[in-house]
Amino acid sequence: MSSSATSSPNAPAKAAAPSLVLGAIGVVFGDIGTSPLYTLRECLKAAGGITQTNVFGIVSLILWAIIIVVTFKYVTFVMRADNDGEGGILALTALASRVAPERLRQVLLTLGVFGAAMFYGDSMITPAISVISAVEGVTLVDPHLAEWIVPISLVILTGLFKIQKRGTGTVGKVFGPIMIVWFVTLAALGLSHIIPHVDILRAVSPTYAFVFVTHAPGTAFIVLGSVFLALTGGEALYADMGHFGKRPINLAWLFLVLPSLVLNYFGQAALVLDKPSTIAQPFFQSAPSWALVPLVVLATAATIIASQAVISGAFSMTKQAVQLGFLPRIPVVHTSSHEMGQVYVPFINISLYAAVVFLVVFFKSSDNLAAAYGIAVASTMLLTTLLMYFITHDLWKWSPLKTAVVIVPLALVDAVFVSSNVSKVMEGGWFPLLAGGVLFTVMTTWHKGRETLMERMRSDNLPLATLIHSLCDGAHSPPRTNGTAVFPGGVAGMAPSAFLHNLKHNGVMHQFNIFMAGTTDNVPHVPDEQKAVVEDLGHGCYSVVVRHGFTEIPNVPRVLEFVQKQIPEWHYEPSDTSFFLARDTVLATGESKAMSLWREKLFAFLARNAAQAAEYYSLPANRVVEMGGQINI
């Protein structure tokens, strides 16, 4: 078997088009590209001040952390594991669960869900710390503006979340050029301080990082928690792979982003050695006084773009989680008629906005927010490495030795970063852990609740084929009415409750009856010709198993167009079709052996507040009939 996972069918088209490289620069690297605003400052503060050993050792650690974690792990290694062209922790989980041993698949799903929950924590903190760190530059223009940092940040963030419903397509066209200007500026600022202090380039040698760690291992361990700030956004390279392809991201990283970041970090290091008083804001003070205001404006624009990237990522993650059965139905709005990946999720948008406002108001500065930043991302990175074990061992068929040589060192590096960030839990790291823990509980409860609900429906409902034959073969078959009745959202092989309610209350069957049961495959997209499998039950009744990928949103009317190709005697006519949906109320009884009572109640609450099935299935509102019932779990 080849050494890469299934490639996207669009991969050739994404080889290295300049527009894709530009798009990748504008979207993928916003988070990691704005890390120089605060990373070196936080590292030196954690180290206890400026000494040559500290500065050389820290900038060497930053350099080699970027090379090992971002360049080697993600760009060279993890991005080879694409799930039909898609990346990200849930896509990787779906891919790993396809090839892992059966007994481990539930464990892998749990790891993937935890990683996804931690990603949401990152999506809350990134906009807050990015924007507030950029706005803090105004204090160098006028110290009296310090009291305006929080209000200005809130205004910017409010505007950012308010425009989400318009989609990122139009705004995205200007992201790339702005970020190119940003990275060129980073490189220029760094070079302006490296050239007169070229001695700082000796820190390229990893011996300085080694000396720093061995000289004061306790301090170095704490500092690593701040060094990790230089890596936040590394997961985005993999998560956004499906939008741009591997090669455009690789080219942008190797030839622009990586050199710009390294030059800027080394330039800041040279500056603080030459002028220790700049330690409070080494990034902004690396610019000449005449360029300070334009730099603050440019930094603010870059941080808005960085925030946009994680917000869009949260929308995409939510769509995947709903399809994979880890979140209840949530309204998803497509903001582009051309790009299926551009979506807006109102509930997630308002939830993220509320969390970001809380973080800005509660923590008030990027110094304080830095303590909350890191542990969520570090946890996701560690889980990615663990999942990659199954890709290398079970999919790529690497030998145990080769797998261990690559996975073990990467896992150790990730574990060190997770451990070093644990020290920041009481200072603010509790927030992403709390948010992630709540989301993990919700996602696992919904997943287990759905399984329990499906088992209850299989035990309580009648086999569909048996029921159809008993109804239609007997002397007292129900009268038939013209048109087509479609029953979406059923359990494969079982009679849907909406059908039984219709028989009970209306006493009729339609001329044609189509019973649809949906499944989500562990692939991003299912080809149109494979979306529907039709079984003829006789008497004008058909059982249809509908397959979707985890990035696709069900569209029942569109699927019916594929179904009609397999039923010669039937033609889909929207005006002659009625959609029957079960509006069942879930009641927690405490009888389930799989869940405790409080989780049953949580599942029932989530079920009551899920989006309407008609909206989720893209059904025409004037053709929908809802029939209520009650299910005890």
Side-chain angles (χ1 to χ4, degrees), residues 240-283:
D240 287 318
M241 183 171 61
H243 297 286
F244 303 101
K246 305 172 193 175
R247 187 162 174 76
I249 293 175
N250 291 352
L251 290 174
W253 171 254
L254 293 173
F255 291 102
L256 177 65
V257 180
L258 174 61
S260 299
L261 290 174
V262 172
L263 288 172
N264 193 263
Y265 283 124
F266 275 71
Q268 288 189 48
L271 173 65
V272 296
L273 280 174
D274 185 48
K275 298 178 181 178
S277 62
T278 61
I279 188 174
Q281 285 285 8
F283 174 80

Side-chain angles (χ1 to χ4, degrees), residues 321-537:
V322 170
Q323 281 302 95
L324 289 169
F326 291 108
L327 284 176
R329 294 188 301 267
I330 299 174
V332 175
V333 179
H334 284 281
T335 59
S336 171
S337 58
H338 307 292
E339 298 292 336
M340 290 300 292
Q342 292 187 15
V343 294
Y344 166 63
V345 186
F347 176 77
I348 296 299
N349 191 60
I350 191 65
S351 301
L352 286 180
Y353 174 66
V356 169
V357 168
F358 168 78
L359 287 166
V360 171
V361 172
F362 184 82
F363 288 97
K364 293 184 172 60
S365 72
S366 61
D367 278 349
N368 296 332
L369 275 165
Y373 206 24
I375 192 164
V377 191
S379 301
T380 303
M381 286 185 171
L382 176 58
L383 293 173
T384 295
T385 301
L386 296 178
L387 289 169
M388 282 301 297
Y389 166 81
F390 295 95
I391 303 300
T392 56
H393 183 267
D394 296 312
L395 181 61
W396 297 350
K397 304 301 182 183
W398 284 9
S399 68
L401 178 60
K402 184 179 180 181
T403 298
V405 166
V406 174
I407 296 296
V408 171
L410 290 178
L412 288 174
V413 170
D414 289 336
V416 167
F417 279 123
V418 171
S419 301
S420 62
N421 276 283
V422 167
S423 64
K424 300 193 293 186
V425 168
M426 299 309 297
E427 301 171 23
W430 55 267
F431 180 83
L433 289 179
L434 176 62
V438 170
L439 285 164
F440 178 75
T441 301
V442 168
M443 294 170 80
T444 53
T445 298
W446 181 257
H447 188 67
K448 177 57 70 174
R450 284 183 76 250
E451 289 182 345
T452 304
L453 192 62
M454 293 298 107
E455 291 172 4
R456 180 57 57 89
M457 292 173 68
R458 288 189 184 96
S459 63
D460 292 349
N461 291 6
L462 298 170
L464 179 60
T466 303
L467 177 63
I468 295 299
H469 289 302
S470 65
L471 283 173
C472 300
D473 289 338
H476 303 288
S477 60
R480 310 294 282 256
T481 186
N482 292 331
T484 300
V486 178
F487 301 88
V491 179
M494 308 306 297
S497 57
F499 176 65
L500 299 175
H501 289 318
N502 187 44
L503 280 175
K504 177 180 178 181
H505 296 290
N506 298 323
V508 297
M509 285 179 63
H510 283 67
Q511 181 184 2
F512 294 99
N513 297 271
I514 297 178
F515 304 92
M516 305 181 77
T519 63
T520 300
D521 290 5
N522 285 336
V523 295
H525 309 279
V526 174
D528 288 347
E529 61 274 12
Q530 299 176 20
K531 266 193 165 49
V533 178
V534 178
E535 179 187 357
D536 188 350
L537 302 176

